[in-house]
Amino acid sequence: MSKTYWLCLLLFPLSAWAQLRPVGLRVEHMTNPSVVDTRVPRLSWINLPSSAQARGEVQTAYAIEVASSREALLDGRADMWRSGRCRSAESCLIPYAGTALKSTDECWWRVRVWDGRGRASSWSEPAHWGMGLLDSSDWQAQWIGAPFDGAAPLLRKAFSVRGKVKRAKAYVSGLGYFEMYVNGRRVGDDCLVPNFTNYTYRPGLDHDRVPIDVEFSQYRVLYLGYDITDLLQPGRNAMGVVLGNGFYECNKTWVKRFGKPCLLCQVLLEYADGGREWLVSDTSWKARPSAIVVNGPYTGEVYDARRETPQWATVQADEASWAQAVPAEAPMGKLTTQTSPADKVTEVLRPLSLQRLADGSIEVDFGKEISGWIRFRNVSGRVGDTLRVKYVCESPLGVQEYIFKGAETESYAPRFTWYVFSKAVISGVDHLTQAQLQAEAVNTDVPRAACFSSSNPLFDRINEIWQQSQVDNMHGCIASDCPHRERSPYTGDGQVAMTTVLHNFDAAAFYQKWIRDMRDAQDKHTGYEPNGAPWQVGCGGGVAWGAAMTLMPWEFYKHYGDRRMLEESYGPMKRQADYMLAWMTSDSTMNQQMVTPGTDKPCRWLNLGDWSPAFGLPADELVHTFYMWLCLDHVARAARAMDSTADVQHYQALADAVWRGFHRKFWDGAKQSYGDFGSNVYALRMGVPEDRLSAVKATLRKEIMVTYKGHINTGFVAARYFFETLARNGMNDVAYAAMNQRDFPSFGHWLAQGATVTWEQWDGGNSRNHPMFGGGLVWFYRNLAGVQADEARPGFRHFNVRPVLCSQLDSVSYSLQTPYGEVRSTVRRVGARTRQQVTVPVGSTASVWLGNGLTQDVRRQLKAYKLKARTKENGDVVVDVPQGSYTFLY
């Protein structure tokens, strides 16, 4: 039993304990995933105490039951796994240990736990996961497509069921996007699926916009699983799929085509008599053009309702005019379950206003910028009239047009694209009311998991507009740079913003998929990590972009405690770091100069340092060297977590050599500086030699407060470390000043111009929806509120609460749903003292900093809680607390 358990028993009387309740059951970071293809899924839950006053609660044991049906589980017939009582305090990522899982298995599970008094909880509510097709030989279906180009194809198949169907499940992928229907009813509520991956080989990547000569580690295609049992009817049935182009059939400045839209579909019918039948996509399917005559991420969508095929996915459809489906060129990608969140309609906005313009068009305002589309309900028009939507956006967007068929009323929303807007101008309709339209935000379904607030409303708004920009850029389970102009999965933007994302969203399943995309995109021979993953040909970047392959798995591990992420990523992390070493100079710095394939000329878009500066950029070589040190340092940390002593020594020695090289080469003794534009921030983040630390701090303070009048002076890469590094080096007041500005360059300057999302450039140039500068907002959560994960006990098994409240700030509050439950830190000034409120979930412990000096007030509070404090060498008072909510005044 853990030391925490015995400590809690000693410190808290039995009357303080409350029975636990397991909730929030998950499999592989997902709630009820329909398809999983890992043969040993991991199960997690959160323990809630039945009383908000409980302190010192621990789980001392658990029992898990898994059954092949919900009914069997509730009847106590756990025919797949009955773990028995397992003595353990762990509730996260418990490996399944029942009978061997097979393709198409349906698994229902529940858990109960025992508390510190040995009392068992009730069983949790049942949860579920489904197994995918685990072996390539399980696939009998054929990739098929349409014998025509142009309109989005409809593909259909009529079939009969021979008796009572116990279960029916479709395993399906349609490239680029698909929607499935059974007997005229849509299957599921997913949008823009499957999630984006590096589907298959594309020739000519070494001669495209950003040319790379890379042999990717893996191609991959995702498929989904849908239970369609309730959509079937006795006797004759029909199923259909409409295919969209997506990024698969797309040529644009930023992207390169993969292939022609195609479908792979395999439906399992399980009958009540025990029989099984497979329905598969093949050339017996029928094909016909749909009413979607134009579609694509960049082109938008045109829907001609005059071309609709009534009841096309029902048994009533007349197949006389349908063509035979044809075999499609199969993508090379490994078929893999989409055990990751899909895009969905995540928010619905009603119009704030409708205004008739002079030309007769109507301007609609929804109040904030979203990524999605406008849905029209019950609108009217003559046959051939065209409803047009021009979305108001600084970047180019595709069209949205609907051509009326002349029915009394008609309804429409796009399917296979998205737009970015807060306003739109609508033409082609004579009459429109607010009740006839709504804006639907469409994003990868990654829910918010945190709440931040402070006594400075500007800080709250900055956090809000960054959150909006981040979700606007989540599609296909990747994070793009911008959701309109490029729509590309830049790895540099991703690694810079990731820590802020983890402190705001429930993003474990999201990053589990996207980091795998990065492993797939890595050059299998050199270890080079491209600037985008999945790779798109417009992704310019440099060393800080490729560094994502090393930095992001470590951040994931630290935040979620998922060792499998390190196990799967450790090799790629080392290979990426080793690739960087190929560019090490004789003085132990890095100056990457990748050339355009087939030439000896360095390509700027492969070798960037920082980007989007306020005033200027630091030397590329300095930024490259910083990231080489950071990656080597992170590999050494990962090696320590993986118990690889030899690798710890090897990579730590290399990191130390680069650290020395950086400080030798870039330090200017005469100027007492490493340079402008974030150079001193990079140096302090690395840690500078003690004999120049005071000088560097003084230089940086003067640089920000005098030269730049209290404003940030960096590009987006250095901005990730700007505020946090200032706070950690005794300059929290400087960080506050920069965050609190309302003129150029600052977040407040964007807000003053009406921004509801964050922008790409401090001056408003280029894209006005870019989340990358949000990387610096970790200062809100990790410094002001003081909540910091502990890499020695990752996943918030233990965490620190060390707030640094600025004198200009009266209060700050932050809560986060961690793998063990809610963590909360609320700090408020009360006269000359500080009130610190902390919440620690079951399964976690925290170390809380309570100011400097162990006063009598603090002693009395600790005695009341039966806690003991320790005083650090600098006088800081730290108290270790188990589960519960605590209030300290110091």
Side-chain angles (χ1 to χ4, degrees):
M1 203 63 67
S2 70
K3 293 181 180 178
T4 302
Y5 165 73
W6 293 114
L7 176 66
C8 293
L9 283 181
L10 290 171
L11 293 179
F12 294 89
L14 294 182
S15 60
W17 294 80
Q19 202 162 355
L20 299 177
R21 180 165 59 94
V23 299
L25 277 62
R26 295 194 173 197
V27 177
E28 290 299 323
H29 303 292
M30 295 280 290
T31 301
N32 297 327
S34 179
V35 279
V36 171
D37 56 10
T38 177
R39 295 176 187 269
V40 183
R42 294 155 317 153
L43 316 181
S44 304
W45 61 91
I46 288 172
N47 289 314
L48 292 181
S50 59
S51 168
Q53 285 71 48
R55 298 191 187 97
E57 272 285 19
V58 291
Q59 171 192 297
T60 59
Y62 67 79
I64 296 172
E65 291 186 347
V66 183
S68 56
S69 70
R70 180 186 177 94
E71 294 73 24
L73 182 70
L74 294 178
D75 288 346
R77 294 179 284 116
D79 54 346
M80 300 182 77
W81 184 29
R82 192 188 303 273
S83 73
R85 182 171 175 172
C86 301
R87 290 168 60 87
S88 172
E90 192 52 76
S91 59
C92 290
L93 303 172
I94 306 299
Y96 171 82
T99 59
L101 296 172
K102 306 182 301 298
S103 294
T104 76
D105 276 350
E106 296 295 318
C107 310
W108 291 85
W109 71 289
R110 62 183 182 178
V111 62
R112 65 175 175 175
V113 299
W114 282 261
D115 64 14
R117 296 178 66 182
R119 299 182 302 179
S121 71
S122 300
W123 285 105
S124 69
E125 290 296 312
H128 168 265
W129 83 87
M131 299 302 294
L133 304 180
L134 302 182
D135 298 301
S136 58
S137 60
D138 293 329
W139 285 98
Q140 305 169 28
Q142 179 182 1
W143 284 99
I144 61 172
F148 52 80
D149 296 318
L154 301 174
L155 297 166
R156 64 167 272 126
K157 176 70 176 179
F159 62 97
S160 295
V161 296
R162 63 171 178 77
K164 180 176 176 56
V165 175
K166 177 182 177 183
R167 176 171 73 104
K169 191 163 186 176
Y171 303 89
V172 58
S173 183
L175 302 178
Y177 297 138
F178 77 89
E179 284 185 357
M180 186 176 187
Y181 294 79
V182 174
N183 293 324
R185 295 163 63 186
R186 184 178 167 190
V187 176
D189 61 354
D190 297 336
C191 305
L192 307 172
V193 289
N195 283 337
F196 182 32
T197 53
N198 200 16
Y199 308 111
T200 194
Y201 172 76
R202 292 170 289 174
L205 296 181
D206 56 342
H207 291 91
D208 225 301
R209 187 172 188 269
V210 179
I212 61 170
D213 186 6
V214 169
E215 188 172 348
F216 300 120
S217 295
Q218 180 74 64
Y219 296 106
R220 194 177 302 274
V221 172
L222 303 184
Y223 67 92
L224 295 94
Y226 294 109
D227 189 315
I228 60 171
T229 310
D230 293 340
L231 300 179
L232 297 182
Q233 58 196 22
R236 295 289 289 169
N237 289 262
M239 59 182 166
V241 173
V242 56
L243 296 176
N245 290 328
F247 291 105
Y248 196 72
E249 172 68 281
C250 187
N251 269 319
K252 185 73 174 175
T253 305
W254 316 103
V255 300
K256 188 177 183 71
R257 178 180 183 270
F258 289 91
K260 186 177 177 180
C262 53
L263 168 70
L264 185 73
C265 181
Q266 189 156 314
V267 176
L268 171 65
L269 301 180
E270 281 190 349
Y271 292 99
D273 63 8
R276 287 164 64 100
E277 181 181 359
W278 285 103
L279 307 172
V280 302
S281 54
D282 56 26
T283 54
S284 68
W285 284 50
K286 303 292 186 177
R288 179 183 173 89
S290 74
I292 304 172
V293 295
V294 173
N295 78 93
Y298 302 95
T299 54
E301 191 163 307
V302 177
Y303 189 94
D304 188 346
R306 299 171 300 179
R307 301 190 180 199
E308 287 180 344
T309 302
Q311 299 182 317
W312 69 274
T314 72
V315 295
Q316 285 78 33
D318 181 0
E319 293 186 347
S321 61
W322 289 65
Q324 293 298 129
V326 297
E329 183 177 353
M332 294 171 58
K334 177 183 179 181
L335 284 168
T336 306
T337 59
Q338 182 170 306
T339 313
S340 53
D343 282 28
K344 294 182 184 292
V345 174
T346 57
E347 186 178 9
V348 174
L349 301 178
R350 304 296 177 183
L352 298 182
S353 65
L354 293 178
Q355 180 182 355
R356 180 75 66 172
L357 303 181
D359 64 358
S361 61
I362 300 170
E363 182 181 79
V364 57
D365 183 359
F366 293 99
K368 70 173 182 178
E369 186 160 293
I370 64 167
S371 179
W373 51 59
I374 293 177
R375 179 178 297 277
F376 294 89
R377 297 185 186 278
N378 302 319
V379 293
S380 299
R382 295 173 293 276
V383 176
D385 284 355
T386 302
L387 184 158
R388 292 183 173 88
V389 181
K390 181 175 176 56
Y391 291 98
V392 178
C393 183
E394 88 292 337
S395 292
L397 294 172
V399 301
Q400 180 179 335
E401 296 182 0
Y402 178 83
I403 303 171
F404 285 93
K405 61 187 175 184
E408 182 177 353
T409 62
E410 302 178 37
S411 300
Y412 165 72
R415 287 178 173 87
F416 299 134
T417 189
W418 69 86
Y419 309 88
V420 180
F421 62 98
S422 61
K423 296 181 179 180
V425 177
I426 301 164
S427 60
V429 287
D430 297 328
H431 178 74
L432 194 64
T433 67
Q434 291 193 15
Q436 291 176 294
L437 74 166
Q438 63 189 36
E440 296 179 346
V442 181
N443 322 99
T444 304
D445 189 19
V446 179
R448 286 173 173 81
C451 183
F452 170 81
S453 63
S454 74
S455 56
N456 187 333
L458 175 62
F459 290 4
D460 299 356
R461 281 295 293 145
I462 290 170
N463 199 61
E464 289 168 5
I465 67 169
W466 171 80
Q467 285 184 337
Q468 185 63 52
S469 189
Q470 184 64 45
V471 298
D472 285 352
N473 277 277
M474 288 173 154
H475 293 98
C477 210
I478 59 91
S480 60
D481 59 327
C482 56
H484 34 47
R485 187 183 72 231
E486 296 186 50
R487 306 179 184 227
S488 294
Y490 280 85
T491 48
D493 303 51
Q495 67 91 357
V496 164
M498 180 184 184
T499 307
T500 305
V501 175
L502 297 180
H503 282 79
N504 282 270
F505 295 94
D506 177 6
F510 175 90
Y511 280 115
Q512 186 166 256
K513 181 267 182 187
W514 195 21
I515 292 172
R516 184 182 62 194
D517 293 337
M518 296 176 195
R519 296 196 300 266
D520 288 352
Q522 188 176 42
D523 190 309
K524 65 169 64 176
H525 301 298
T526 67
Y528 169 70
E529 181 66 35
N531 302 324
W535 173 244
Q536 292 287 40
V537 297
C539 290
V543 173
W545 283 250
M549 185 63 264
T550 296
L551 304 182
M552 292 177 70
W554 177 253
E555 285 298 316
F556 186 99
Y557 169 73
K558 186 166 68 172
H559 196 88
Y560 295 116
D562 188 340
R563 185 178 174 85
R564 185 181 291 177
M565 172 60 74
L566 280 192
E567 292 169 350
E568 295 175 342
S569 301
Y570 185 57
M573 292 169 72
K574 292 200 297 180
R575 287 194 293 274
Q576 191 271 332
D578 291 345
Y579 171 81
M580 299 175 83
L581 291 170
W583 295 100
M584 181 185 278
T585 64
S586 58
D587 54 10
S588 296
T589 60
M590 180 183 183
N591 187 18
Q592 179 174 295
Q593 293 295 303
M594 290 184 68
V595 300
T596 299
T599 78
D600 58 359
K601 296 180 179 179
C603 176
R604 170 170 169 73
W605 301 113
L606 296 172
N607 301 300
L608 294 180
D610 210 330
W611 186 245
S612 294
F615 304 102
L617 290 170
D620 289 348
E621 187 177 0
L622 182 146
V623 180
H624 294 180
T625 304
F626 168 80
Y627 270 98
M628 182 162 65
W629 166 81
L630 190 64
C631 288
L632 292 168
D633 172 80
H634 276 53
V635 173
R637 292 171 187 267
R640 192 170 292 110
M642 296 290 291
D643 300 319
S644 178
T645 304
D647 279 355
V648 172
Q649 295 171 349
H650 174 67
Y651 287 100
Q652 190 60 62
L654 288 168
D656 292 345
V658 175
W659 183 89
R660 291 189 295 270
F662 180 98
H663 291 298
R664 280 195 306 266
K665 185 160 190 174
F666 301 114
W667 172 246
D668 186 331
K671 294 181 180 179
Q672 298 286 280
S673 176
Y674 289 87
D676 204 344
F677 313 130
S679 300
N680 288 310
V681 171
Y682 286 125
L684 285 170
R685 170 61 182 85
M686 295 174 74
V688 302
E690 189 64 33
D691 61 356
R692 66 181 72 154
L693 178 59
S694 296
V696 177
K697 291 180 180 180
T699 297
L700 182 56
R701 176 178 286 276
K702 182 179 179 181
E703 177 186 318
I704 302 303
M705 299 304 292
V706 177
T707 306
Y708 296 103
K709 298 180 172 58
H711 293 77
I712 189 171
N713 66 330
T714 73
F716 87 95
V717 178
R720 161 63 185 87
Y721 304 104
F722 180 86
F723 300 96
E724 197 168 40
T725 299
L726 287 169
R728 290 178 175 177
N729 285 274
M731 292 179 278
N732 210 31
D733 59 320
V734 178
Y736 183 94
M739 190 67 78
N740 198 44
Q741 297 294 339
R742 289 166 173 80
D743 59 353
F744 173 83
S746 68
F747 295 99
H749 184 53
W750 295 340
L751 282 164
Q753 298 174 72
T756 60
V757 290
T758 51
W759 295 354
E760 180 181 9
Q761 303 279 357
W762 290 117
D763 63 5
N766 295 336
S767 158
R768 291 197 170 190
N769 195 325
H770 249 70
M772 61 189 188
F773 274 108
L777 302 189
V778 293
W779 178 69
F780 288 156
Y781 333 115
R782 301 210 301 195
N783 301 102
L784 294 184
V787 175
Q788 302 167 11
D790 181 356
E791 68 181 56
R793 301 188 66 195
F796 286 84
R797 200 77 170 92
H798 177 264
F799 61 97
N800 297 314
V801 182
R802 191 176 186 178
V804 183
L805 200 61
C806 306
S807 60
Q808 304 96 320
L809 204 58
D810 290 330
S811 66
V812 63
S813 181
Y814 173 67
S815 64
L816 173 68
Q817 284 293 329
T818 74
Y820 294 97
E822 186 185 60
V823 163
R824 179 180 294 274
S825 171
T826 300
V827 191
R828 181 177 299 276
R829 295 192 185 282
V830 182
R833 295 192 291 177
T834 298
R835 176 184 289 124
Q836 171 75 56
Q837 295 171 295
V838 176
T839 297
V840 181
V842 177
S844 295
T845 60
S847 296
V848 183
W849 268 250
L850 299 178
N852 194 270
L854 190 57
T855 65
Q856 285 299 115
D857 278 351
V858 172
R859 291 179 190 275
R860 282 193 292 270
Q861 294 165 56
L862 296 177
K863 183 177 181 181
Y865 287 132
K866 297 182 173 60
L867 298 172
K868 293 184 178 180
R870 47 194 168 89
T871 303
K872 301 178 78 68
E873 290 182 3
N874 63 357
D876 285 351
V877 176
V878 181
V879 59
D880 296 319
V881 297
Q883 178 275 330
S885 293
Y886 305 84
T887 300
F888 301 100
L889 194 63
Y890 58 87

